[in-house]
């Protein structure tokens, strides 16, 4: 809790996975917010380093195992509701370039229907608010080599 504002903050991590066709991996949420599409993401565990948390979430939610992720941005967001009761999140956003095609093993407890799509098509979909914001404001960094 921020002692000045009394806002309840969480730290979150997310990874944009980009394939060789410059498409991103999106997963349909089966938990709140149900039905919206998102990237592999989640909350940091206590005392977890953001990069390690992002690598963990990527593996848990997709089956992709790597250490080759790179930071896009660290960003506070104050209008980002979550099922654990916080409206405020400090996001640590990463990207991962997938070299070869691999099967995506979605954690059925949190998501379903993995899809590869372009930025333009993604922005026409029902996205979680952070993913939409990241695509609208950080696409150059997300898609750069």
């Amino acid at each position: 809790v921020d002692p000045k504002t009394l806002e309840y903050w969480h730290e979150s991590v997310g990874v944009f996975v980009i394939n060789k066709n410059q498409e991103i991996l999106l997963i349909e949420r089966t938990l709140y917010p149900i039905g919206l599409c998102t990237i592999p993401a989640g909350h940091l565990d206590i005392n977890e380093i953001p990069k390690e948390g992002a690598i963990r979430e990527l593996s848990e939610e997709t089956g992709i195992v790597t250490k080759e992720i790179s930071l896009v941005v660290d960003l506070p967001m104050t209008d980002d509701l979550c099922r654990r009761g916080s409206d405020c999140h400090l996001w640590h956003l990463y990207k991962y370039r997938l070299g070869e095609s691999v099967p995506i093993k979605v954690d059925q407890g949190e998501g379903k229907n993995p899809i590869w799509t372009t930025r333009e098509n993604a922005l026409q979909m029902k996205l979680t608010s952070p993913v939409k914001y990241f695509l609208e404001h950080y696409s150059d960094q997300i898609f750069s080599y």
Side-chain angles (χ1 to χ4, degrees):
V1 176
D2 183 326
K4 293 179 184 174
T5 64
L6 300 179
E7 293 172 324
Y8 180 44
W9 282 82
H10 284 162
E11 273 192 271
S12 295
V13 293
V15 182
F16 273 94
V17 180
I18 306 153
N19 69 15
K20 63 183 178 181
N21 298 322
Q22 289 288 90
E23 296 169 320
I24 57 172
L25 175 64
L26 294 177
I27 300 165
E28 184 181 338
R29 297 274 307 162
T30 55
L31 295 175
Y32 179 84
I34 296 171
L36 298 184
C37 291
T38 191
I39 59 176
H43 292 104
L44 279 182
D45 290 339
I46 295 172
N47 296 322
E48 189 173 33
I49 296 167
K51 185 173 183 178
E52 291 173 1
I55 289 168
R56 174 185 52 76
E57 288 289 345
L58 180 62
S59 174
E60 288 175 1
E61 295 189 9
T62 68
I64 296 172
V65 178
T66 186
K67 295 196 183 295
E68 302 300 318
I69 64 172
S70 40
L71 183 65
V72 174
V73 66
D74 293 318
L75 178 74
M77 297 183 86
T78 56
D79 191 22
D80 178 17
L81 304 173
C82 79
R83 65 188 176 95
R84 292 187 183 170
S86 178
D87 295 343
C88 305
H89 289 81
L90 174 57
W91 273 93
H92 305 279
L93 182 65
Y94 294 85
K95 66 181 175 182
Y96 171 65
R97 289 210 161 266
L98 189 63
E100 295 181 20
S101 183
V102 298
I104 304 300
K105 301 172 189 153
V106 175
D107 175 356
Q108 296 298 312
E110 293 190 37
K112 64 181 182 178
N113 302 329
I115 183 172
W116 291 101
T117 189
T118 64
R119 174 195 180 274
E120 294 74 22
N121 286 342
L123 286 170
Q124 303 304 312
M125 300 169 70
K126 293 180 181 178
L127 301 172
T128 60
S129 58
V131 169
K132 182 175 182 184
Y133 184 87
F134 297 145
L135 284 173
E136 290 174 341
H137 295 89
Y138 292 94
S139 283
D140 288 347
Q141 294 93 320
I142 293 166
F143 289 97
S144 69
Y145 283 91

